[in-house]
Amino acid sequence: MESEPYTSAPAPLPARSREVARALAAAGIPGRVRELAESARTAAEAASALRCEVGAIANSLVFLSGDQPVLVLTSGRHKVDTAALAARWERPALRRATPEQVREATGQAIGGVAPVGHPSRLPTVVDEALTEYPRVWAAAGTPHTVFPTTAEELLHLTGGLLLPVGPTP
Ligand code: 5CA
């Protein structure tokens, strides 16, 4: 194989990422998922691997609001102000999901949680800060897979609500 003069076909995506690719294709955006050589487990790692601003990384963070898992697509440049967001979203207090709860709600593991490709649709907020970036990157089911998108597209993909989520200055 090594002596072949041409580049081999790309390896198939991991199962978790195929699920994400399927959800994207079903929404009219096929062929978006990219596999990275470097790990992109955190926003900082993803920004470095993709050579983009950390704020352009959309972290898919799972919280529990009461008993209901919810998704907050958050710019990597700041943390979620959970109290302010729960008030704005008019939902019960938000608390960080455990790794097991993340897995149950999304079918994905922390470090690779994607905005879509979950067993059922989660109530979703898209961080207003993401609208400041013409191109946003989100995880695609594993720490080594991502896809390029925009805040507007994330709203369309998730049926989410656009709200500020970061700390108020
Ligand atoms: N692949 C990148 C983005 S392309 C990524 O998944 N980033 S992330 O921020 O969404 O995933 C890491 C996040 O998982 C951390 O920001 C943190 O909020 C969350 N996390 C890490 N450890 C835990 C834990 N033990 N329990 C709950 N959440 C955790």
Side-chain angles (χ1 to χ4, degrees), residues 40-43 46 57-61 96-99 110-113 138-139 146:
R41 191 170 291 283
T42 63
I57 303 296
N59 288 325
S60 303
L61 303 178
R96 177 66 59 92
T98 65
I110 282 170
V113 177
V146 292

Side-chain angles (χ1 to χ4, degrees), residues 123-149:
T124 302
V125 155
V126 176
D127 184 353
E128 218 170 65
L130 291 172
T131 63
E132 293 172 33
Y133 303 90
R135 179 156 67 168
V136 161
W137 291 89
T142 73
H144 282 272
T145 52
V146 292
F147 69 97
T149 183

Side-chain angles (χ1 to χ4, degrees), residues 22-113:
R22 255 199 297 275
L24 295 176
I29 48 172
R32 278 281 183 87
V33 175
R34 323 253 172 101
E35 195 152 16
L36 300 170
E38 293 167 62
S39 162
R41 191 170 291 283
T42 63
E45 279 186 6
S48 141
L50 293 160
R51 290 169 188 82
C52 70
E53 286 177 68
V54 74
I57 303 296
N59 288 325
S60 303
L61 303 178
V62 180
F63 293 86
L64 292 181
S65 173
D67 288 339
Q68 162 92 69
V70 299
L71 191 63
V72 183
L73 304 181
T74 307
S75 164
R77 77 183 193 205
H78 54 208
K79 288 194 188 311
V80 176
D81 180 339
T82 49
L85 178 58
R88 274 187 209 113
W89 204 357
E90 298 179 352
R91 284 188 175 271
L94 300 170
R95 60 189 195 282
R96 177 66 59 92
T98 65
E100 293 72 27
Q101 289 165 334
V102 171
R103 168 78 77 176
E104 194 179 334
T106 65
Q108 299 154 352
I110 282 170
V113 177

